[in-house]
Amino acid sequence: MHDMDPRNPGNGGETHQVADADHPVLTTNHGMPIADNQNQLKAGARGPVLLEDEVYREKMNHFDHERIPERIVHARGTAAHGYFECTDSLSDITRAELFQKKGQRTEVFVRFSTVAGGAGSVDTPRDVRGFAVKFYTREGNWDLVGNNIPVFFIQDAIKFPDLIHAAKMEADRGYPQAATAHDTFWDFISLMPESTHMILWAMSDRTLPKSFATMEGFGIHTFRFVSAEGKSTFVKFHWKPKAGLASSIWDETVKTAGADPDYQRRDLFERIGRGDYPEWELGVQLFDEEFAASQPYDVLDATKIIPEEVLPVRIVGKMVLDRYPDNYFAETEQVAFCPSHMVPGIDHSNDPLLQGRLFSYQDTQIKRLGSTNWHQIPVNQAKGRAGGCPFHNFQRDGHMQMQVPKGRANYEPNSLHLAGEEGGPREDPKAGFVTFPAEEQGPKLRIRPESFADHYSQARMFWRSMDPAEQAHIASAFVFELSKVSLEHIRRQVMANLRNVDEALATRVADGLAMDLPDAAPAAAPILDMAPSPALRIIRGPLEKHTLEGRTVGILFADGSDAGELETLRRGVKAAGGHPLLIAPKVGQVPLSDGSTVKADAQLFGQPSVTVDACAVILSAEAAAKLTKEGAAVQWVMDAFGHLKAIGHNPAAQPLLDKAGVEPDAGVVALDGFVEAAKRRYWDREPKVRTLA
Ligand code: HDD
């Protein structure tokens, strides 16, 4: 006889966990209770396994199919639930239900992403961030699928596959992952002058956001609002972060990628967990045909912005993210956005990039999710109408149909109701979506309008709008990226385009690469000197915020640190809305000066200063002496200084600061001035710590 006692070591050791009042019975997907989840069925205790073992086969079969194709772009992302609240009614401009009443709330699901890297890449490469919002309105789902940059690389969607092929890892070698600093990307860019404006943004600090919560979002294209009377108004959408705009420094972002590849998703998760809910205002730029015709660019061209100084942004709502998904795969991976998902009152424009997107997303979701029934997955379901199914139509069947429609009415018109049968849903000419009846005519042409020909004026405007510190970052980013380009002629072609943006920029980049400037590339249209737009700045711009709210302050301490100083600082940071993080050489209980102990939140090696926004050092003289010989501690302080962060310290910590090369300036302060000092970066320090182009 074989011993069937599940606790017999020969039968799976101590790992059996048996169902009880707190734990339901483990079953197969077909509901059969499982007696043993540790062993395959075998012919004899040491014998071969048997094919009839459904418990094993079903489990492995499901596991083997767990992955679905990752998104072709924006593969790496994270998401959150929340709500949108209308703060200023737009009922005179659009009949869209979510904008009718001040105070009205609409559920949202928002996914943030990087563009180029695979799902397993890092959170903090230099890359555009996706900012996709699904509004579950009462008249259907509206997807506003935007980015954190208000323009795009290309004007026509037919170039999208080329752009993405060039940007992602090179086809033969399979690298670099999540990086644009390589030949094929810059080859494509160099030959596509229309990408010049976007590439200026891409080389700016906009592609190094510190947190998802500290970046803007943009709908990019011109869309239409349509009123109840059928009047159309053009609209561009802006998300403005309540936490202010904040970016990383290149060296910081590179180190963050190593220290914590999940930095930004962790940050989102932790902010929500702490109740520091990420929040944005929704702004709109509203205009008509006459305004559009008066601008020196085409509002249908996605490589152009309308400067806020020319057309102010009107704030009409706010969005708060207050709930993390319960399950990453079910929600964040399976959520499917489509720019074609509109609701009554919102419509497309003729932007050829937007028009091309209307096809691509639905197509990719069928591939990715495996079925046309992806709208039945909970995160994708329209929630709108109260009670019952939020969608009603005669579409039927298909892979993974989850519904059981009743009756014979799977077509219309039908008259089954006359015989007392269920006749199914009917059109609603009043409330239903009506496409704005724009007049269109003209020959069929595969052509770009002449009004799209100016590729440099707005790139120049962007460059000239930047703060000097930002200009230095942009020029240095070009130098870095082009230094990774191995083919000389590509570098020259990029430089030829840059000369059309600004001679000073081109000269600085050429100097950084120690190369001669080539002739300027021919420009297809006259290059204009547009007025700078200070609203485009992050540094010293209108959305730079000096605050501790939502930000993390690292406090480095060790055995013997002063208990009073530690507690005062911790309270001060909290009172200012910040999140204090106690970091010590050992992560357990740390004995303090008064004999008490405090538990560190993190260990020094695991929490380098790149992971926090401001740094404080509270040490005893003995600990300071010891830590001057600890590379991680010296680096912690050195990086804090190099990344232009505030450093607060007690006098005993001075030797560690000296060892790290910290020089006195406005951001290096005693503990009593630290909470105030910690609210910002010290851009004036930058020329002291690195050479920029
Ligand atoms: Fe796209 C995904 C944003 C142009 C084709 N795009 C995708 C996502 C975002 C954007 C945020 C991720 C959505 C998510 O989190 O699931 N895309 C943009 C913006 C664009 C843009 C702001 C220009 C203004 N995209 C664009 C073009 C095409 C696509 C021109 C093709 C014609 N995009 C796709 C796609 C993706 C996608 C291949 C991949 C995964 C997905 O759709 O759901 O269909």
Side-chain angles (χ1 to χ4, degrees), residues 68-76 111 113-119 121 127 160-169 177-178 333 335 337 360-369:
I68 60 173
E70 68 175 36
R71 289 166 173 82
I72 171 79
V73 279
H74 296 268
R76 184 170 179 82
R111 184 172 178 272
S113 48
T114 55
V115 179
S121 58
D127 201 355
F160 191 71
D162 299 292
L163 165 71
I164 300 307
H165 286 171
K168 290 192 81 125
M169 60 192 188
Q177 178 68 239
E333 190 61 13
V335 68
F337 296 90
S360 178
Y361 288 68
Q362 164 72 3
D363 189 35
T364 211
Q365 309 311 354
I366 296 170
K367 164 77 180 172
R368 213 164 61 77
L369 300 169

Side-chain angles (χ1 to χ4, degrees), residues 294-487:
S294 70
Q295 297 309 299
Y297 46 83
D298 197 324
V299 298
L300 300 182
D301 173 357
T303 67
K304 305 295 188 294
I305 60 163
I306 303 177
E308 290 184 32
E309 290 78 4
V310 176
L311 184 63
V313 174
R314 170 174 162 191
I315 302 301
V316 296
K318 70 169 185 178
M319 178 170 76
V320 178
L321 299 183
D322 58 3
R323 184 161 63 88
Y324 210 76
D326 289 321
N327 184 276
Y328 184 88
F329 181 86
E331 300 179 87
T332 308
E333 190 61 13
Q334 292 199 111
V335 68
F337 296 90
C338 291
S340 54
H341 287 176
M342 294 283 166
V343 290
I346 305 177
D347 207 343
H348 322 292
S349 70
N350 286 350
D351 173 343
L353 194 71
L354 174 59
Q355 295 269 322
R357 294 177 74 194
L358 302 181
F359 161 73
S360 178
Y361 288 68
Q362 164 72 3
D363 189 35
T364 211
Q365 309 311 354
I366 296 170
K367 164 77 180 172
R368 213 164 61 77
L369 300 169
S371 159
T372 47
N373 287 317
W374 60 263
H375 61 288
Q376 297 184 21
I377 295 171
V379 71
N380 294 323
Q381 269 178 29
K383 302 195 204 290
R385 293 168 193 285
C389 173
F391 52 91
H392 296 278
N393 55 45
F394 299 101
Q395 295 170 33
R396 290 289 185 271
D397 309 344
H399 283 293
M400 305 308 284
Q401 172 58 256
M402 298 294 162
Q403 296 192 314
V404 186
K406 292 203 173 101
R408 294 192 285 177
N410 57 2
Y411 61 94
E412 66 90 26
N414 70 59
S415 59
L416 300 176
H417 62 290
L418 298 179
E421 292 185 36
E422 187 60 54
R426 295 289 190 258
E427 294 165 3
D428 183 343
K430 272 207 190 123
F433 179 88
V434 181
T435 297
F436 178 72
E439 296 272 352
E440 306 291 355
Q441 61 173 2
K444 290 183 186 172
L445 293 170
R446 219 178 257 285
I447 199 171
R448 204 73 63 91
E450 271 181 39
S451 52
F452 281 35
D454 174 8
H455 303 319
Y456 297 112
S457 302
Q458 288 214 351
R460 175 177 292 179
M461 176 189 70
F462 179 76
W463 165 257
R464 293 186 181 171
S465 303
M466 293 292 100
D467 180 86
E470 294 176 308
Q471 289 188 331
H473 296 166
I474 293 171
S476 302
F478 271 107
V479 171
F480 169 79
E481 296 263 325
L482 294 177
S483 74
K484 296 276 183 182
V485 169
S486 68
L487 302 177

